[in-house]
Amino acid sequence: MTDPLLHRPRRSRRTPALRRMVASSRLHPANLILPVFVKEGIAEPQPVASMPGVVRHTRDSLRKTAAAAAQAGIGGLIIFGVPRADRKDALGSQAWAVDGITQQAIADVVTEVGEDLVVIADLNPDEATDHGNVGVLGADGDVDNDATLTLYAQIAVAQAQAGAHMVAPSGMMDGQVAAIRRALDEAGHTITSIMAYSAKYASALYSPFREAVSSSLVGNRGSHQQDPAGPIHEALREVRLDLDQGVDAVIIKPAMFYQDIVHAVRPIVDVPLAAYQTSGEYAMVEAAAARGWLDREKIVRESVLGIRRAGADLVITYWAAEVARWVET
Ligand code: PBG
């Protein structure tokens, strides 16, 4: 047996300079995307109790946040519009109304930041439906896949019309990317990109988000989102189907607990790959840090770095602007 101390991996870790030189995962502001909530009809930003530090914006405070995010050098924003409760209906018509809150917010942000930030619109009527589900409900109470595709097509065109650079379908309907691509192209929006939530799990990590968007959902999304216990090849299939339909970027969601999925799909994804660090991931860290049980800045950095190391090019995170400021220099 060779001398076990012939090899000393610690030599490459000895000084900060050595560690910095050999590092292969780095945080860069441009790879971070900030999710933002904007609510119709409020006069002041409203805090989200289960997401300390996150608010539901007014149109005005969103504009300011977008300007600050551009200043911080992050890659983009993903916008979630929340219509007034009395405007919700069975189909979620505010999701494609020309003056719906999401369309207004997209136009506001584009006016504010132009092309300095990528403006992404979450494409899902669930914030605008009175049942809180992601599309048209069939007679059996489940989401009717094919009828819902028509809605998504309509929403995509409205969002592109408002100026969104990318639309992000999050409903996990079969065929959604193709339906949206066709509708965008027919409406002349050939340069609007589709960043699809390709593999999205029916996770318990979305509860704080549902508070943030005042979701009316009762029950769960198990009939269309993936089962956390499902086979990994199901995620590969979902991603492959979206790539076949011309998707421009792929999202895996959640990130934590699903970094194996990010790693597994990486070799077949030849477009940008994003992972969504969800509201539940944010809430867990903030809750522990508030009690002094975790070092907030260190754990946030490590969590985002871990997602990058798993293979994500982009991280969608509620800490995007803050992380960007930490790593700027
Ligand atoms: C759908 C959507 C959800 C999230 C992003 N887009 C909620 C859901 O699928 O129920 C969750 C994001 C998060 O938890 O941070 N509109």
Side-chain angles (χ1 to χ4, degrees):
M1 174 180 159
T2 53
D3 174 2
L5 290 179
L6 187 64
H7 297 283
R8 292 182 183 269
R10 283 188 57 191
R11 279 196 286 259
S12 306
R13 304 197 285 261
R14 196 174 53 84
T15 66
L18 274 163
R19 296 197 289 274
R20 193 181 47 172
M21 186 183 79
V22 303
S24 67
S25 298
R26 293 180 208 274
L27 297 177
H28 192 283
N31 301 131
L32 303 174
I33 297 170
L34 178 70
V36 288
F37 305 111
V38 54
K39 189 167 174 175
E40 184 182 23
I42 56 171
E44 292 294 326
Q46 292 178 341
V48 180
S50 53
M51 301 181 76
V54 172
V55 299
R56 280 174 284 251
H57 284 288
T58 65
R59 286 178 60 187
D60 198 46
S61 71
L62 176 62
R63 261 195 299 262
K64 292 185 181 123
T65 294
Q71 196 66 39
I74 68 166
L77 286 184
I78 181 162
I79 300 176
F80 297 90
V82 186
R84 257 178 25 208
D86 62 345
R87 294 212 198 198
K88 293 188 182 189
D89 56 29
L91 292 181
S93 60
Q94 285 300 302
W96 68 85
V98 175
D99 62 351
I101 182 66
T102 307
Q103 279 63 259
Q104 289 182 326
I106 293 166
D108 289 343
V109 169
V110 170
T111 304
E112 188 70 36
V113 300
E115 304 215 318
D116 291 348
L117 274 185
V118 180
V119 179
I120 308 164
D122 190 76
L123 195 170
N124 195 325
D126 65 333
E127 285 98 31
T129 54
D130 52 16
H131 45 73
N133 235 312
V134 295
V136 184
L137 294 185
D140 59 359
D142 193 8
V143 185
D144 178 334
N145 192 90
D146 300 9
T148 295
L149 295 182
T150 315
L151 282 194
Y152 288 7
Q154 234 172 313
I155 300 170
V157 172
Q159 293 178 334
Q161 207 73 52
H165 305 135
M166 293 185 146
V167 297
S170 59
M172 290 299 282
M173 292 296 112
D174 295 332
Q176 62 184 14
V177 172
I180 291 167
R181 185 72 272 156
R182 203 171 305 124
L184 286 172
D185 289 354
E186 277 169 13
H189 298 292
T190 53
I191 58 165
T192 307
S193 304
I194 303 174
M195 177 187 257
Y197 295 74
S198 299
K200 174 170 173 179
Y201 286 83
S203 171
L205 288 164
Y206 310 150
S207 314
F209 173 96
R210 292 187 188 153
E211 185 205 337
V213 301
S214 318
S215 170
S216 313
L217 183 69
V218 180
N220 63 58
R221 304 205 197 283
S223 79
H224 47 284
Q225 296 182 347
Q226 289 171 245
D227 181 3
I232 291 182
H233 56 66
E234 186 185 352
L236 290 166
R237 183 176 187 215
E238 288 283 4
V239 167
R240 198 175 303 116
L241 287 170
D242 282 4
L243 291 167
D244 285 348
Q245 292 168 40
V247 79
D248 298 287
V250 159
I251 305 174
I252 306 297
K253 179 167 155 228
M256 188 186 198
F257 308 156
Y258 297 86
Q259 283 171 225
D260 58 330
I261 304 298
V262 174
H263 195 251
V265 305
R266 177 69 279 182
I268 67 160
V269 176
D270 55 3
V271 296
L273 174 60
Y276 197 133
Q277 188 172 46
T278 52
S279 58
E281 298 169 65
Y282 179 90
M284 286 193 281
V285 167
E286 291 291 345
R291 285 163 178 75
W293 293 347
L294 290 171
D295 178 320
R296 185 173 177 278
E297 180 174 337
K298 283 190 179 155
I299 200 82
V300 169
R301 278 176 181 263
E302 189 176 334
S303 68
V304 178
L305 199 60
I307 297 165
R308 293 268 293 130
R309 198 182 57 245
D313 301 307
L314 307 171
V315 182
I316 303 173
T317 172
Y318 298 95
W319 289 302
E322 197 176 359
V323 171
R325 285 189 283 268
W326 293 336
V327 302
E328 227 168 16
T329 46

